[in-house]
Amino acid sequence: MAISRSTWGEHGTWEWRPGVFPKLNPKSGEHSGLASQGTLFGHFASGSSFKNPLPCIWQVSGRIPRARAWMVTGVCTGAAARTRPPGVDPSGRQNYLSGDHLLPQTQSSLQKRPMADQGSGGSRLPLALPPASQGCSSGGGGSSAGNSGHPLPPRNLQGLLQMAITAGSEEPDPPPEPMSEERRQWLQEAVSAAFRGQREEVEQMKNCLRVLSQPIPSLAVEAELATDQQEREGALELLADLCENMDNAADFCQLSGMHLLVGRYLEAGPAGLRWRAAQLIGTCSQNVAAIQEQVLGLGALRKLLRLLDRDPCDLVRVKALFAISCLVREQEVGLLQFLRLDGFSVLMRAMQQQVQKLKVKSAFLLQNLLVGHPEHKGTLCSMGMVQQLVALIRTEHSPFHEHVLGALCSLVTDFPQGVRECREPELGLEELLRHRCQLLQQHEEYQEELEFCEKLLQTCFSSPTDDSMDR
């Protein structure tokens, strides 16, 4: 069966088929085993070199392990040998499969045989076989070679089939060794441990959910409340570790764990419970559409946006942003909810905070959404996003600016409205970008930010007739 196909210019279409041929020692002339080779089947297409298509078979080298089939091979004779295309040597052998990839010629000698039907005008295949290895039967039609001691190659398909069977049976696969008792016991223990580990993890999740399901004591003393909170925080942390495994995350949702998180812990009293709950939601939802849909159906996105926008704890806001990102990236339903809940405005306010990690992650998410969903660029421009991003670039320089410039580049790319807003004279963006380029050229650590500045200058402030402007 053909395993690959290559069209060779105007000279025709060829197919490479694997085969096993005797390996010939060029010094002694004796066969020394089997070599993996193959055969190139096809014909020369009608063109400048040939008036009529001419079927040919070319023997070529190959690396096809465990190939167990003899293929008919031969050399090009007649018109093809006299009017050969580039890549065919005077003997009629094919040197090139396609392009400039040289295929080495085989070392075994090929015996030319006359055409089976001279009246066909060269339309029959010129058949020739490499000498058979010792001990190979010729099938029907093979006879002793007399002086060489080797049987002649077969002259029909039955003999060819018999030769292939004999060649394939010379090196049989070794019989499988019986498994030792020690190895059998080790394998059984390994399989049992794998299943036992999965069951144990499910039991651990159930125990954690029992802890989280307990009512929060209202009249307990301060020490008891602190102990209770530590137990709940430990349960949430263990669940976050276990749910890194997607199978465990699915089991957690089947155990109604997500209902408990969204309903009781996203907006719980202690900040330690809130941020751990948000982290666990993001861990379970990441890249799993079924869990994302369940979380969105529970109304978690609204609560997470509220945490990002208003929570007094910075860590809660960072973890809420992580969960939001896991619910809206590459998730159409989540993105639609995000738009309805005015999520872009919440992102912009997060970028204006003093928490560096929150600013960077917000700008990165904005850039990602612009690249993946350019259809929302008009909505962002109508919100004044261009002006707010430029205002952020004017603040004291920090690594955060790289992501802001990246988001601005994504906003103006292939979007004329964004370009027009960047050109507004009152923004002074061109002067700001040129000044920033001068500051960054001597700092290798800011090369990506420099590239964003240069791209914005080229996109927004280079006229078609001034492509050579010094930027």
Side-chain angles (χ1 to χ4, degrees):
M1 182 180 295
I3 62 171
S4 64
R5 191 175 184 88
S6 174
T7 301
W8 179 34
E10 64 177 2
H11 301 296
T13 303
W14 306 87
E15 289 182 346
W16 164 260
R17 300 185 185 181
V20 178
F21 298 91
K23 187 175 181 181
L24 186 66
N25 188 322
K27 294 183 179 180
S28 64
E30 297 180 353
H31 299 291
S32 58
L34 298 178
S36 295
Q37 296 178 337
T39 307
L40 194 66
F41 285 76
H43 67 273
F44 291 108
S46 48
S48 59
S49 300
F50 307 100
K51 293 183 180 180
N52 297 310
L54 177 63
C56 297
I57 303 177
W58 304 100
Q59 181 179 343
V60 294
S61 297
R63 290 285 184 180
I64 312 297
R66 295 183 179 274
R68 296 290 179 94
W70 284 87
M71 310 302 296
V72 179
T73 67
V75 296
C76 184
T77 60
R82 293 192 297 271
T83 58
R84 59 186 180 276
V88 179
D89 65 15
S91 66
R93 290 180 182 172
Q94 168 72 21
N95 287 339
Y96 294 87
L97 178 60
S98 66
D100 295 327
H101 300 286
L102 181 62
L103 291 177
Q105 299 179 11
T106 56
Q107 299 295 330
S108 59
S109 58
L110 297 176
Q111 301 176 357
K112 292 186 179 180
R113 302 189 64 84
M115 303 289 287
D117 184 1
Q118 298 292 343
S120 62
S123 61
R124 298 289 294 276
L125 297 179
L127 300 182
L129 287 171
S133 58
Q134 259 186 342
C136 290
S137 171
S138 62
S143 61
S144 299
N147 55 353
S148 65
H150 300 297
L152 290 176
R155 299 170 184 262
N156 53 41
L157 293 177
Q158 293 171 340
L160 184 62
L161 177 61
Q162 181 63 35
M163 181 178 286
I165 294 173
T166 305
S169 61
E170 286 185 357
E171 298 180 0
D173 294 332
E177 298 181 359
M179 184 180 296
S180 65
E181 185 62 30
E182 181 182 1
R183 183 173 178 82
R184 185 189 304 276
Q185 183 178 358
W186 177 88
L187 184 60
Q188 290 177 347
E189 290 177 356
V191 173
S192 300
F195 285 103
R196 183 170 61 251
Q198 181 65 26
R199 289 193 298 270
E200 289 176 354
E201 290 180 351
V202 173
E203 288 301 320
Q204 286 180 309
M205 288 192 290
K206 289 181 178 179
N207 292 334
C208 291
L209 289 175
R210 291 191 194 99
V211 173
L212 296 173
S213 301
Q214 296 297 324
I216 299 176
S218 56
L219 300 177
V221 298
E222 185 175 352
E224 293 178 353
L225 290 175
T227 301
D228 180 78
Q229 181 178 337
Q230 288 180 355
E231 291 179 356
R232 295 174 192 271
E233 290 176 354
L236 290 171
E237 289 180 356
L238 178 57
L239 286 171
D241 290 338
L242 293 173
C243 290
E244 292 284 351
N245 182 315
M246 289 192 296
D247 292 333
N248 287 340
D251 292 338
F252 174 76
C253 292
Q254 291 180 357
L255 294 171
S256 301
M258 198 60 68
H259 292 75
L260 186 63
L261 282 182
V262 176
R264 289 183 56 179
Y265 287 92
L266 261 188
E267 296 179 314
L273 297 178
R274 294 198 303 275
W275 74 257
R276 287 178 173 86
Q279 181 184 35
L280 181 53
I281 289 174
T283 300
C284 293
S285 303
Q286 198 166 17
N287 302 320
V288 184
I291 297 179
Q292 290 171 343
E293 292 172 0
Q294 181 181 8
V295 175
L296 292 169
L298 294 172
L301 187 57
R302 181 186 298 274
K303 294 184 177 182
L304 290 168
L305 286 171
R306 192 156 52 233
L307 292 178
L308 174 60
D309 205 23
R310 304 174 188 173
D311 199 279
C313 177
D314 293 340
L315 186 55
V316 172
R317 300 168 75 182
V318 171
K319 297 300 183 180
L321 179 59
F322 164 68
I324 291 169
S325 177
C326 294
L327 290 173
V328 302
R329 293 177 62 181
E330 308 300 332
Q331 169 57 255
E332 292 295 332
V333 177
L335 183 60
L336 290 176
Q337 280 196 24
F338 182 80
L339 292 172
R340 286 198 300 269
L341 297 171
D342 199 19
F344 282 119
S345 296
V346 177
L347 272 188
M348 175 50 62
R349 289 194 290 271
M351 285 189 286
Q352 295 170 345
Q353 301 300 317
Q354 299 302 315
V355 183
Q356 185 72 10
K357 196 171 186 177
L358 190 62
K359 294 164 65 174
V360 170
K361 290 183 176 293
S362 299
F364 183 80
L365 177 58
L366 175 62
Q367 181 182 1
N368 179 271
L369 294 177
L370 285 171
V371 172
H373 302 276
E375 65 273 14
H376 300 303
K377 291 181 180 181
T379 302
L380 290 171
C381 282
S382 64
M383 294 168 52
M385 185 65 71
V386 170
Q387 293 76 13
Q388 296 186 64
L389 291 176
V390 173
L392 289 173
I393 299 172
R394 289 189 179 279
T395 59
E396 183 180 357
H397 183 259
S398 72
F400 158 68
H401 287 175
E402 175 188 327
H403 303 283
V404 177
L405 287 164
L408 188 57
C409 277
S410 301
L411 185 57
V412 301
T413 299
D414 300 324
F415 190 60
Q417 181 183 348
V419 173
R420 287 194 300 270
E421 294 192 15
C422 286
R423 288 177 175 174
E424 293 178 357
E426 56 270 20
L427 281 181
L429 180 58
E430 182 177 9
E431 181 181 358
L432 175 62
L433 292 174
R434 294 189 184 280
H435 179 66
R436 184 62 57 86
C437 287
Q438 293 176 358
L439 293 177
L440 299 178
Q441 283 177 351
Q442 305 302 324
H443 299 276
E444 294 184 0
E445 65 271 23
Y446 295 128
Q447 286 304 303
E448 290 191 28
E449 183 178 346
L450 177 60
E451 291 174 4
F452 284 137
C453 291
E454 292 175 343
K455 183 179 179 181
L456 281 169
L457 283 170
Q458 183 179 7
T459 303
C460 300
F461 303 104
S462 293
S463 62
T465 60
D466 192 16
D467 290 338
S468 61
M469 181 186 300
D470 181 13
R471 301 181 182 87

